[in-house]
Amino acid sequence: MLSKRIKYEDFLEIKGKSLLEFKDGNSILCIAPNIGGRVFAFMDGLSLHRIDLENIKNPNRPFNNFGGGNLWPAPEGGKFGFNYRGNEWYVQECINSQPYNILLYNKNSAVIEKEIVLVNRSNTIFNVIMKRKISICDIPPFFKEWNISNSITYISEDSFEVLNDVRVENGLIAAWTLEQFDANENTISFCLVNSPENAINFDFYEPPIEKIVYYKKGFTYQTDGMKRGQIGIKRKSNPKAIGFIDFEQKIVCIRQNLSSTKNGLYFNIADNEQPGGVFSAEDTYSIFNSSEDMRFFELETIGCSDINCGKVIGSTLVSLTSFAFFENIEELKTWKFLDEVI
């Protein structure tokens, strides 16, 4: 069953002039400052990301999960989590509905930001400037070796700048990008990493062990949107990239965390009680698979907290995201960049 991919015209009809658009042939990238600053990519007139048009039409839910590529403050759970009031999961209004201001918009890039107030589970207040810079760029060289019909690549520079005095013992913050995609029985996510059996952090929900297959230089995760699960990829394993292949629609996506070697304070971002403590995990990527009521999955990049003299000063994360349509599905299955994975 093919997942429902939204037409660009339908998306444009709803959002219209509020979108920041970048066009390159038959590829279009959109930034939506007034719906979470989310990024939406289109090729040949169809969406590459998951899009919830009904939520975009009526953005009044406790969590406006519009789809697209999102910037999120980490951690989600634990004692420093930004998504809990006691034991109640929620999304703070400044993340859920506050629009961004446009600082820059030209033919290649845009910069948007908003000043927000976040409160973590320990009731520590963060006065923050939340900023995104999105730029169109050339497709990575490894795509150019193959017979592709269309492509699009963009780089996102995402940051939180903490304006007030927050000590490490009271809270942490990290930039975390979550790109959502429609799932079907032919969507398989992957990670390129050596020693893959030792690379995965299962400290989220019930470990999705039955959906993971290990290879010499990576692993696959069957992200079919049929069972809720999430994994992290440990920073110490030095992962090269994550991505997905939709074999039915001939789409390949690669996401690279260009900040993964940056020095900073890495910590557990997981949506749970984090019984091992705040520093029980250090991941630079994560992959999420939804349950069948939502039918989507996410490819995520994770940054670290920047610390100065015991104070949390912010976080910066740079991510590269590339998509391509492959003309030959057999070529896709034998793509040498993934020959040890697929």
Side-chain angles (χ1 to χ4, degrees):
M1 180 183 72
L2 281 173
S3 57
K4 183 180 180 181
R5 292 172 60 207
I6 302 299
K7 293 181 179 179
Y8 175 67
E9 290 78 11
D10 294 335
F11 182 66
L12 186 63
E13 183 178 351
I14 297 170
K15 295 310 300 172
K17 295 180 180 179
S18 67
L19 294 173
L20 308 181
E21 297 178 286
F22 307 93
K23 297 183 179 181
D24 182 11
N26 291 327
S27 299
I28 300 172
L29 188 71
C30 297
I31 304 170
N34 64 355
I35 54 170
R38 297 194 181 211
V39 177
F40 301 90
F42 298 83
M43 286 198 300
D44 298 337
L46 294 174
S47 64
L48 299 172
H49 291 94
R50 169 188 173 271
I51 301 178
D52 186 337
L53 284 182
E54 291 306 313
N55 193 195
I56 291 172
K57 290 176 185 177
N58 300 289
N60 55 6
R61 300 176 189 172
F63 173 32
N64 289 317
N65 192 2
F66 303 116
N70 188 26
L71 172 59
W72 197 253
E76 185 169 1
K79 71 176 185 178
F80 292 154
F82 289 107
N83 288 89
Y84 281 89
R85 290 183 294 203
N87 293 321
E88 174 198 6
W89 191 91
Y90 84 117
V91 180
Q92 298 185 47
E93 184 176 355
C94 62
I95 299 296
N96 195 47
S97 58
Q98 182 179 334
Y100 282 81
N101 300 311
I102 301 168
L103 299 187
L104 172 71
Y105 177 34
N106 58 39
K107 66 177 183 178
N108 296 317
S109 64
V111 179
I112 58 175
E113 75 168 28
K114 57 183 176 179
E115 190 167 338
I116 63 174
V117 178
L118 288 166
V119 182
N120 72 11
R121 200 176 193 175
S122 297
N123 292 316
T124 300
I125 295 172
F126 286 73
N127 296 320
V128 173
I129 293 176
M130 186 176 184
K131 182 182 291 187
R132 308 203 75 186
K133 179 181 180 181
I134 311 294
S135 305
I136 291 287
C137 52
D138 290 337
I139 193 167
F142 51 76
F143 276 109
K144 297 178 181 179
E145 300 177 11
W146 300 96
N147 190 19
I148 61 176
S149 61
N150 206 349
S151 65
I152 188 169
T153 297
Y154 52 91
I155 191 166
S156 60
E157 301 175 43
D158 297 298
S159 64
F160 294 98
E161 179 187 354
V162 179
L163 303 176
N164 61 322
D165 189 345
V166 177
R167 305 291 303 182
V168 171
E169 57 267 27
N170 297 321
L172 293 166
I173 193 169
W176 178 11
T177 65
L178 306 86
E179 303 238 355
Q180 291 186 357
F181 308 99
D182 289 311
N184 61 59
E185 56 267 31
N186 294 291
T187 46
I188 299 176
S189 296
F190 60 84
C191 176
L192 301 175
V193 61
N194 293 323
S195 301
E197 294 86 353
N198 301 313
I200 301 178
N201 166 30
F202 288 106
D203 185 24
F204 289 86
Y205 315 116
E206 179 185 351
I209 296 172
E210 76 283 0
K211 291 182 175 289
I212 292 174
V213 178
Y214 296 102
Y215 298 85
K216 291 181 180 179
K217 293 186 179 180
F219 65 84
T220 59
Y221 179 7
Q222 187 185 9
T223 46
D224 53 7
M226 293 298 291
K227 183 178 180 181
R228 188 186 192 197
Q230 188 167 0
I231 59 172
I233 296 97
K234 300 174 184 177
R235 179 178 181 245
K236 67 180 181 181
S237 68
N238 296 314
K240 297 180 179 67
I242 57 174
F244 79 87
I245 295 178
D246 185 330
F247 286 100
E248 194 156 353
Q249 301 187 102
K250 302 180 183 179
I251 299 172
V252 176
C253 173
I254 298 278
R255 297 207 72 211
Q256 297 166 271
N257 185 340
L258 303 184
S259 302
S260 59
T261 59
K262 178 183 175 181
N263 291 324
L265 194 57
Y266 292 82
F267 53 86
N268 194 338
I269 67 161
D271 179 17
N272 59 30
E273 292 295 324
Q274 301 182 3
V278 174
F279 302 107
S280 55
E282 296 182 358
D283 300 330
T284 51
Y285 295 95
S286 181
I287 302 173
F288 172 80
N289 190 42
S290 80
S291 52
E292 58 184 314
D293 59 327
M294 293 294 291
R295 210 77 202 271
F296 72 86
F297 65 96
E298 294 178 340
L299 301 181
E300 307 173 359
T301 57
I302 306 163
C304 61
S305 264
D306 297 324
I307 310 298
N308 185 17
C309 298
K311 296 180 181 180
V312 181
I313 61 173
S315 178
T316 301
L317 171 65
V318 182
S319 310
L320 187 72
T321 303
S322 302
F323 297 94
F325 279 158
F326 275 62
E327 294 183 351
N328 185 336
I329 193 65
E330 295 305 315
E331 183 180 55
L332 190 70
K333 292 177 179 178
T334 59
W335 187 22
K336 70 177 182 180
F337 188 68
L338 298 177
D339 63 1
E340 299 281 3
V341 179
I342 299 302

